[in-house]
Amino acid sequence: MKSLANLDKYQIMLASASPRRRELLRQLNVKFQLASSFDVEESYPETIPVSEIASYLSVIKADAYSTLIESNQLIITADTVVVNDGMVLGKPSTQSEAKDMLMKLSGHAHEVITGVTITTAEKRVTFSVTTEVVFAELSEQEIEDYIKEYNPLDKAGAYGIQEWIGCIGVKNINGSFYNVMGLPLHRLYNELKQF
């Protein structure tokens, strides 16, 4: 694409198992391949501010490729966290945990923060984007129906804004919709354009 001609010399790689991130990057009309996946320990120091956790994790993911990256490659890594009342809600490990998370989010505002790292052999840029999401009050039955139908165990905060629960539950968002899906496209596009 001519608007991102500065990237023509790179083979762009997305290092993410998330089907949503793949779909979102395709919407930017960026030609990319999936990077080989690595098991990365997604942990962070307890002393790190919650606003920096997503960026920290995106850097850890990028570090996994640092010795393998070739001179013509550009690798994009990302991580998304949901922050509710100062507490990070990761991916639930059980349906019961997913229900607990959604009960906490019901009727409240929370933040979704995505950290992104763009890495080449010579350069690295890391940034994060925060979006505020306000949920309406959800009934226990609505939450149970959503979990049963969509099984959101692979999503931070136990929900996908693009799914049924986003349609019925999200009253308001302040910031990037795509960020809540897992990749802040506007900011990513501008970072790639300037890379």
Side-chain angles (χ1 to χ4, degrees), residues 63-84:
D63 285 346
Y65 296 89
S66 60
T67 59
L68 304 171
I69 194 166
E70 297 178 20
S71 59
N72 68 328
Q73 289 180 325
L74 180 150
I75 296 182
I76 300 168
T77 55
D79 197 88
T80 301
V81 297
V82 171
V83 180
N84 184 57

Side-chain angles (χ1 to χ4, degrees), residues 52-113:
E52 296 175 16
I53 291 170
S55 292
Y56 179 90
L57 293 174
S58 77
V59 168
I60 285 179
K61 291 176 181 180
D63 285 346
Y65 296 89
S66 60
T67 59
L68 304 171
I69 194 166
E70 297 178 20
S71 59
N72 68 328
Q73 289 180 325
L74 180 150
I75 296 182
I76 300 168
T77 55
D79 197 88
T80 301
V81 297
V82 171
V83 180
N84 184 57
D85 288 334
M87 301 287 293
V88 174
L89 303 181
K91 295 174 185 172
S93 51
T94 64
Q95 289 191 344
S96 175
E97 194 177 340
K99 181 178 176 181
D100 288 344
M101 287 183 183
L102 290 169
M103 294 293 280
K104 286 177 185 170
L105 297 178
S106 174
H108 296 97
H110 63 274
E111 292 181 325
V112 179
I113 307 169

